[in-house]
Structure formats: C-alpha cells, structure tokens
Amino acid sequence: MEELLEQSESAIARVSKTIKRYLYREINWQARLIGIKGARGTGKTTLLLQWLHEKGLPAHKAAYFSLDDFYFTTNSLVNTAKIFHKQGGEILVLDEVHKYPNWSMEIKNIYDRYAELQIVFTGSSIIDIARQEGDLSRRALMYELHGLSYREFLQFTNVLDLPPVQFDEIIKNPSIRKNFPQNFKPLEHFRNYLKYGYYPFFMESTEDYLQRVKQLVRTIVEYDMAELKGFDIRNAKKMLQLLYIIAQNVPFKPNLKKLSEKSNIHRNSIANYLHYLEQARLLRLLYPAGISIATLQKPEKVFLNNTNFLHALTMDKPSAGTSREVFFNNQLHVNHKLNIPQKGDFIVDDQYVFEVGGKSKTNNQISGLPNSYVVKDDLEYPAGDSLPLWLFGFLY
C-alpha cells in the first residue's frame, strides 16, 4: 500500500497543470461514483491527476491507483480499498479498470460498503457498464472523453484560448465573427489539426505522430478489444485487415459480401465487426434518417473516427472531400445525433441538413429544404447561407 501511495503522489506532482480538457468543466465532481470512459490516448489519466492535484489532499486521503499495476495481480481491489479507507482515505481514483478482472463487481462492493468514500474510475470506450456483472449503471455518473477538438488544439498550441461555441450560435448568428480576435486566421492551423491534432500526445512530437497513431490502432485492436463480449481476439489480424481496407475507401456504403471476400471474415460476422470497431472509436457508422438502427443489418455509410486516422492509415494522401466529411462527422457526434438524409450529406438531430464541400459547393442538392446549410472548408466566416467547416471544431 505504501508503495502505491508513493506512486500516486509522484504521478500527481508530475502532471501538467496548464491546460484542462473540455470534459473537466462538465463533470459533476461532487458525485460519489464517477466513471470516465474514452479511447486510448485521449487524456483520461491526465484529467484525473489534474483534479487530484487541485484537491491538494495528501496521498493517504486522495489516491490514484492504476489497475494495470503489478500490485493488483496478487492483491484484490476490495481489500486495497478497505485498507485505504481504514487509514483515512476519502477519494479513490482508479485508472484503467477494464484491465482488472471483475472490476465492476468489486467497485460496486466498495461503493456499497464505504459510504464516505468517493470513487472515480476510468476505462476504455469499449466498456459497457450496463452489461457488467456489477451493473454500475444505476450508481455511476458516466462521461466519455473524446479526442481534441479544433478549439482545444488551438488552445494546446497557444494560438487561441476561447470557450466552446453553441451549435445554435453557428447556424443562427451571422455576426459570430465578433466572438474571435480580429487578427485570428482560422484556416492557418486547420490543416495541421486534420493531420496531427486529435490526440494530446502530438505535444511530445509531431515528427513521429502518425507512426504513434498506427501503433495506437494496433494496440486497441490487439489488446483493448479483448474486453468486448463476443469478440474473439484470435481474429485481431482480420480486424486490422478489415480496418485498413475500409480506410482506403471511406466514406463509403459498405458491401458486406465484398468486405467479407477481401478480409476473409465470414459475411455473417462483418456487421458485428464494424460495430466492434465503432465501439473502439476507430470507425463511425451512420444510418439513414428515420429508421431504427435495430432493424438494420448494415450502416448506410462508414467513416474513420477522425482525420488523423486518414493520414495514418491510408496509402495515399487523403482527398479533401473525405477529410471534410470525416471532420464534420467527428466534431458533431460528441454532443449531437447524426444520420444520412435523403438529400445532402448529413442530418443533425433529425432537423438540420448539411451539404459539405469546397469553395465551389452550391446548395443545389439541398435547395428548398428547411433548415439546410452549405458547409465550406475554405471559408473563414459565415457568408450568406454558407458556413465555415472549421467553426464546427469549436463545439466542445
């Protein structure tokens, strides 16, 4: 226990205190049981350590334990929490819970036994607490941490530090330019973000960033996805092959038969594998508007999760059109519902239709549709019925 507390103290002392992710302000830190899930590399550990640093409590009162520590191979979480509580512990932060067997049941037991103890835990985006044996869904306040938005990227690079912009402000406020400094050039750093701005570790180096993204993808598929019920980890190689096939063609309408032939995955399993890749935040699957997902065997369109994946996983330079759609999809899905409309590229929250394109894009395809907008990637600020693509990167 003493060694764990020393490690906790050291980790909290080393964490960067300068910039906090968007989710830090949204979490109700007063709740007794808080869960934060998210894809590997998005910064969950840093967020927790920043919060503990701000609390300013000694390690025996507020501690950070990573459950992939060798200590937990021979010591149970329940017993560790018992000792911590007896020694005056008040806040227990548990990182990487999905790497510990029966984590949900043991956290439930700790929660039920020690009413004075606050518990905050993190896990992979693939965990579904409603399906765990302990079923923490009725007890835990759950959040998900996504990768950096364009707004956060500008903040991390000391270019601009502004609060998020509301969706309604973007589509209904023609004078939104007033929200930004006069000397701010919104497109100056946008291409850099599309290539290497989604994961906070770009701050360490941009030279080997794409290689690290490739390694991240392999680790998620070969290691993290073992936690998914129904996924046979022996098929990880096929899963990677499927992902790389999709990466060369996104966004596209999946043909399950052809995907099966190219990836050597049985046709009946392809739809499930696509779903697994979405749970791991490697893909985004979009379905037609107005149709229940439960009735569908396959999505209408498949996208990579973010534009950095485009640069890391595609053999050739990503097309501008693909980057636009992947970016729009990625930034909007954090707080909004997206579907594929009959006309246009996206429908948001079953109400707003968007056509995404370059400077020559017109509204011909969505002409006459209510609440319809053209989004252009080379536009600095709203002009007429056209909205700038980069501005949707300020939603969170």
Side-chain angles (χ1 to χ4, degrees):
M1 173 64 80
E2 290 303 317
E3 185 177 346
L4 282 181
L5 294 178
E6 287 177 8
Q7 291 174 358
S8 172
E9 202 168 47
S10 176
I12 295 168
R14 293 195 312 268
V15 71
S16 170
K17 290 89 176 176
T18 53
I19 301 175
K20 294 182 174 68
R21 295 293 314 280
Y22 76 96
L23 193 63
Y24 193 97
R25 298 183 300 274
E26 297 179 6
I27 294 173
N28 175 12
W29 292 108
Q30 304 304 314
R32 238 192 89 206
L33 182 59
I34 300 169
I36 303 169
K37 67 178 187 175
R40 183 184 288 265
T42 51
K44 300 184 297 296
T45 300
T46 298
L47 186 145
L48 292 182
L49 293 173
Q50 287 176 330
W51 177 64
L52 284 174
H53 179 267
E54 195 168 279
K55 298 297 289 184
L57 295 172
H60 73 276
K61 286 187 174 294
Y64 163 87
F65 298 158
S66 179
L67 297 194
D68 65 348
D69 191 285
F70 187 71
Y71 172 91
F72 289 103
T73 61
T74 55
N75 294 274
S76 76
L77 176 57
V78 167
N79 192 54
T80 302
K82 179 181 178 181
I83 297 171
F84 177 69
H85 180 259
K86 280 186 175 181
Q87 293 179 353
E90 299 173 3
I91 299 173
L92 186 57
V93 170
L94 306 172
D95 204 4
E96 306 280 12
V97 296
H98 58 284
K99 297 179 181 178
Y100 180 88
N102 301 317
W103 63 270
S104 59
M105 181 63 74
E106 295 205 24
I107 289 178
K108 173 186 176 294
N109 290 337
I110 296 168
Y111 175 86
D112 291 342
R113 291 175 189 177
Y114 309 113
E116 312 85 8
L117 190 62
Q118 183 182 18
I119 307 165
V120 184
F121 67 90
T122 76
S124 166
S125 58
I126 62 179
I127 66 172
D128 184 352
I129 65 170
R131 295 185 179 182
Q132 296 294 323
E133 288 185 20
D135 187 7
L136 298 174
S137 59
R138 292 178 289 108
R139 297 171 172 83
L141 193 58
M142 289 297 301
Y143 299 89
E144 180 166 359
L145 181 64
H146 298 269
L148 297 177
S149 64
Y150 181 45
R151 181 192 71 83
E152 290 182 299
F153 173 75
L154 295 174
Q155 184 184 17
F156 271 61
T157 50
N158 298 313
V159 173
L160 187 69
D161 188 357
L162 289 177
V165 175
Q166 297 298 313
F167 179 76
D168 285 350
E169 285 187 88
I170 294 178
I171 63 174
K172 297 179 181 179
N173 183 10
S175 61
I176 197 169
R177 183 170 188 164
K178 296 178 181 178
N179 292 19
F180 299 88
Q182 287 188 346
N183 63 347
F184 172 55
K185 298 179 180 180
L187 300 179
E188 183 179 2
H189 306 278
F190 190 50
R191 302 303 167 197
N192 290 339
Y193 170 79
L194 296 180
K195 186 174 182 179
Y196 61 74
Y198 190 69
Y199 294 99
F201 56 75
F202 84 88
M203 295 288 288
E204 299 170 24
S205 170
T206 58
E207 292 183 4
D208 61 352
Y209 177 84
L210 295 181
Q211 183 59 37
R212 289 187 64 180
V213 171
K214 289 181 182 179
Q215 293 171 353
L216 179 77
V217 169
R218 292 192 69 94
T219 302
I220 290 172
V221 173
E222 295 176 347
Y223 185 60
D224 293 352
M225 292 182 71
E227 306 300 322
L228 284 168
K229 291 185 177 180
F231 176 65
D232 188 342
I233 198 62
R234 292 174 296 181
N235 291 327
K237 185 176 181 180
K238 290 183 179 180
M239 182 72 85
L240 280 171
Q241 188 176 1
L242 174 63
L243 181 62
Y244 279 98
I245 291 169
I246 291 171
Q248 313 313 314
N249 299 281
V250 293
F252 78 113
K253 295 184 177 182
N255 182 314
L256 300 189
K257 182 179 179 181
K258 288 184 178 180
L259 279 178
S260 174
E261 292 171 353
K262 290 182 178 181
S263 64
N264 293 317
I265 297 174
H266 195 280
R267 187 181 187 280
N268 295 340
S269 301
I270 286 288
N272 285 337
Y273 274 48
L274 291 176
H275 180 62
Y276 293 150
L277 288 168
E278 182 176 49
Q279 284 183 281
R281 302 300 180 255
L282 297 175
L283 294 181
R284 283 283 298 159
L285 312 180
L286 259 64
Y287 298 85
I291 301 178
S292 170
I293 294 178
T295 65
L296 298 176
Q297 293 186 357
K298 66 183 181 71
E300 179 72 12
K301 275 190 177 182
V302 177
F303 297 81
L304 289 179
N305 177 270
N306 61 77
T307 57
N308 292 182
F309 283 168
L310 278 175
H311 287 271
L313 303 180
T314 53
M315 295 180 183
D316 302 314
K317 182 180 179 181
S319 71
T322 298
S323 293
R324 294 169 194 143
E325 292 192 27
V326 170
F327 172 80
F328 187 87
N329 186 9
N330 172 262
Q331 301 288 291
L332 268 291
H333 87 262
V334 173
N335 292 312
H336 297 274
K337 174 188 174 186
L338 274 76
N339 291 97
I340 302 297
Q342 291 183 350
K343 294 182 179 180
D345 292 321
F346 301 95
I347 182 167
V348 177
D349 298 333
D350 298 321
Q351 186 175 359
Y352 304 98
V353 176
F354 295 90
E355 181 73 16
V356 181
K359 61 182 179 180
S360 61
K361 174 63 68 175
T362 68
N363 69 343
N364 290 343
Q365 291 176 285
I366 55 176
S367 179
L369 291 178
N371 299 318
S372 59
Y373 306 87
V374 173
V375 178
K376 298 183 179 181
D377 74 346
D378 61 344
L379 194 64
E380 286 196 330
Y381 291 98
D385 294 331
S386 298
L387 302 171
L389 179 65
W390 68 265
L391 191 50
F392 291 90
F394 270 71
L395 288 173
Y396 71 93

